[in-house]
Amino acid sequence: MEAQSAAVRAGIIKEVKSIVEQALKLYSADRVGLVDYALESAGGSVIHTRCTETLETETALLSLFGFPLWYQSRSPRAVIQPEVHPGNCWPFKGSQGFVVIELAVRIR
């Protein structure tokens, strides 16, 4: 009897663990219900930007006595970061941009 109830408990624990893992996977999926395999944290990487050029800023983010010390620069890697706040993007020249992303695993 005890062995049977221990097996039932183990089955319930396994099912609850599966439900929690599915819920966490859904939460980390851009809130559209799909996993984002292109994210850098999931193993995705930018391998090429084709003909798209990064827009370099002319304004120094940090200067001392009017001399520029540091310019903020965003790389194409910004497109595979989970950041979704305005301004945290990859600025590029023109109205269209292209990026080639390599996924860590084959998706079926």
Side-chain angles (χ1 to χ4, degrees):
M1 184 77 158
E2 273 187 50
Q4 189 178 21
S5 63
V8 170
R9 280 192 299 253
I12 291 171
I13 290 171
K14 185 176 179 180
E15 187 175 344
V16 167
K17 183 178 178 182
S18 174
I19 291 169
V20 169
E21 286 175 354
Q22 287 176 345
L24 289 173
K25 191 180 284 189
L26 180 64
Y27 177 75
S28 66
D30 288 349
R31 296 180 175 88
V32 295
L34 301 171
V35 177
D36 191 347
Y37 293 102
L39 282 177
E40 192 171 50
S41 59
S45 60
V46 173
I47 58 172
H48 200 272
T49 58
R50 297 182 58 187
C51 58
T52 306
E53 296 179 49
T54 298
L55 182 65
E56 300 297 334
T57 180
E58 299 291 326
T59 307
L61 190 63
L62 180 64
S63 60
L64 181 64
F65 304 117
F67 295 103
L69 298 176
W70 183 60
Y71 292 92
Q72 182 176 10
S73 177
R74 299 283 295 174
S75 79
R77 288 180 49 217
V79 302
I80 57 173
Q81 301 292 323
E83 185 66 50
V84 293
H85 297 320
N88 292 328
C89 58
W90 169 45
F92 52 83
K93 294 179 181 179
S95 60
Q96 292 183 357
F98 298 93
V99 65
V100 179
I101 299 172
E102 180 179 37
L103 304 180
V105 295
R106 185 182 181 110
I107 309 301
R108 296 189 175 136

